[in-house]
Amino acid sequence: MDEDNCARAEGAGAGTGCDTGPDVRTRPGIGTSTGTDVGTGTGIGAGVGAGADQGFGAVAGSGPFRAGHTTGSGSGFGTDPGTGSGLGTGPGTTDRTADRAGLSPAARALYAGITRGEPLAPGDGAALRELLAWRLVAVDPDRPEAPIALDPQEAGRRRLDEGLRELAARAAGMAAVPGVADELALHFERAKWRSGSGSEFLAEPEQVGARIDEAVGRAESELLTAQPLGPAGADALEAADARDSRALARGVSVRTLYRDGERDDPAIRDRVTRLTARGARFRTLAAAFQSCVVVDRRQAFIPDHVVNSSPTHAAWHVMDRALVAFIAEGFEDAWRRADIWQGDARGTTPDGVAGLTHRQREILVDTAAGIDQRITARRLNIGLRTLTKELGVLRARWGAPTLAALSYQWALSAERRRMAEGAAGPAGAAGPAE
């Protein structure tokens, strides 16, 4: 065999054709292909080698959609005078794209050509793989260049049955999803509401400060602080200022409750003014309330009421979910009864409520409570336009540019305090209607 007359074919497969005689002939060879999915299958390969200096190879693998090695038959065609007997080897790809999308136009055209007895062309490898996957053709190992057409009606019925079985299996799997989700949700809910690891007693002030700083440093949504005694010195005030500022920068909601007397402290007034401008909210309460720090409603810090003779700075780090929720509700109750504070001194609290009508007082109460204006208008039996006009008059009286500012001015007014005191006193102590 003359080495110069042997050509290495390249393409979908590889074939080697060697010229050994004066005739142009075709002889069967061997082709191998490698699938892409997992497993091993057996299929048909067709290797085409073209004569002396260059050749083309095509390998088609059939069989189950598995990855692994498939073997089959091939043929080599010599284009120079001589016999083209050869070996075709190369990677084959088991492609399921056409499987899902339907038979491609190239595969349909090839099937039509096969029924007319037309031989395979070098570029028919991909279309042939489709036909083999659909079981529309069979390949005789002795004549791989002439596939045999099979009944398309039977192939279509078989393929439809396979598709319906696959859909049924998928539907059954999808139908089981809600049941699985419900079953696992029970475990999730139990874990979600299960109490934490209890509580930890903190005896030293360094421990208390370190635990609070660590918890607030990981806060994600909310920080509630009630300080009936105020910050313990300038250092503590500076530390709280830096800690709350970092939380605000991360988007955490910060609310702090002070006793009413803190309005006279210049340092605390300055802190409240600065942090209010950054989005924090402050209120003061004249009545007694409990000290606490609540972080994301998942952990809290409260004074010690358990250990006898403990120092005043001792605290408990509470991680029980139910107890933390109870502490947070206590804060909310005190917060609802407190007065809004944005850093002004008590002597500068505006009053300007002389001559308010009963309807205006009701509008101010609802506005401060965040009640929708349409609900207020219906309750007072007035139109929305009349309500808007009344709000304009009230804003002009206090010089409030927004409804939020108007609510703030009303919250600080002596009239609102008198109404609150009357509501808390004996029955019938409310102001007269006008």
Side-chain angles (χ1 to χ4, degrees), residues 385-419:
R385 182 174 299 179
T386 301
L387 176 63
T388 303
K389 185 183 295 185
E390 290 279 25
L391 286 171
V393 171
L394 294 169
R395 286 170 55 187
R397 172 175 292 186
W398 268 302
T402 63
L403 290 179
L406 176 62
S407 299
Y408 167 69
Q409 299 289 0
W410 164 249
L412 297 180
S413 68
E415 176 71 9
R416 197 205 69 83
R417 285 200 180 96
R418 285 194 293 272
M419 289 180 64

Side-chain angles (χ1 to χ4, degrees), residues 324-395:
V324 171
F326 182 80
I327 296 169
E329 183 54 36
F331 175 92
E332 294 291 0
D333 178 67
W335 183 263
R336 285 189 290 268
R337 294 182 286 113
D339 296 322
I340 298 173
W341 188 30
Q342 294 182 333
D344 51 286
R346 281 193 289 187
T348 62
T349 300
D351 196 0
V353 295
L356 284 180
T357 66
H358 173 70
R359 184 167 71 186
Q360 288 174 333
R361 289 191 184 94
E362 292 294 315
I363 291 173
L364 286 169
V365 169
D366 282 8
T367 301
I371 297 175
D372 188 273
Q373 293 182 4
R374 290 169 295 185
I375 296 175
T376 301
R378 284 197 299 269
R379 185 173 67 84
L380 298 177
N381 197 26
I382 60 177
L384 191 58
R385 182 174 299 179
T386 301
L387 176 63
T388 303
K389 185 183 295 185
E390 290 279 25
L391 286 171
V393 171
L394 294 169
R395 286 170 55 187

Side-chain angles (χ1 to χ4, degrees), residues 4-226:
D4 291 338
N5 289 332
C6 295
R8 178 82 177 164
E10 296 180 6
T16 302
C18 298
D19 300 337
T20 58
D23 298 333
V24 178
R25 297 194 200 173
T26 299
R27 291 186 183 175
I30 302 298
T32 65
S33 64
T34 303
T36 55
D37 297 339
V38 178
T40 302
T42 301
I44 302 301
V48 181
D53 292 327
Q54 61 173 295
F56 301 93
V59 175
S62 72
F65 293 109
R66 300 278 188 269
H69 197 69
T70 62
T71 62
S73 299
S75 62
F77 296 92
T79 57
D80 290 348
T83 335
S85 168
L87 177 68
T89 63
T93 302
T94 307
D95 188 2
R96 300 189 70 176
T97 304
D99 228 21
R100 302 186 184 98
L103 202 61
S104 69
R108 298 182 191 190
L110 178 60
Y111 181 84
I114 291 173
T115 61
R116 294 191 295 266
E118 298 175 1
L120 292 176
D124 289 338
L128 180 60
R129 286 195 295 272
E130 284 189 61
L131 296 179
L132 289 169
W134 277 63
R135 302 182 194 175
L136 285 166
V137 297
V139 177
D140 184 353
D142 295 328
R143 298 188 61 204
E145 75 283 358
I148 303 166
L150 302 177
D151 182 4
Q153 295 293 338
E154 180 62 27
R157 283 192 295 271
R158 185 167 47 245
R159 193 166 188 80
L160 182 59
D161 290 342
E162 291 173 355
L164 290 174
R165 283 195 296 271
E166 183 179 351
L167 287 175
R170 289 187 179 183
M174 294 177 67
V177 170
V180 174
D182 290 341
E183 178 184 350
L184 298 182
L186 295 175
H187 301 288
F188 177 77
E189 289 300 323
R190 292 192 188 103
K192 180 179 178 182
W193 297 113
R194 187 179 296 123
S195 295
S197 55
S199 303
E200 176 188 14
F201 177 66
L202 306 174
E204 300 301 325
E206 294 80 12
Q207 281 184 296
V208 177
R211 288 288 193 279
I212 293 177
D213 287 344
E214 181 183 12
V216 175
R218 294 199 303 264
E220 298 177 354
S221 59
E222 185 179 51
L223 172 62
L224 311 176
T225 305

Side-chain angles (χ1 to χ4, degrees), residues 259-260 285-289 337:
R259 61 184 176 86
D260 195 60
L285 183 63
F289 58 93
R337 294 182 286 113

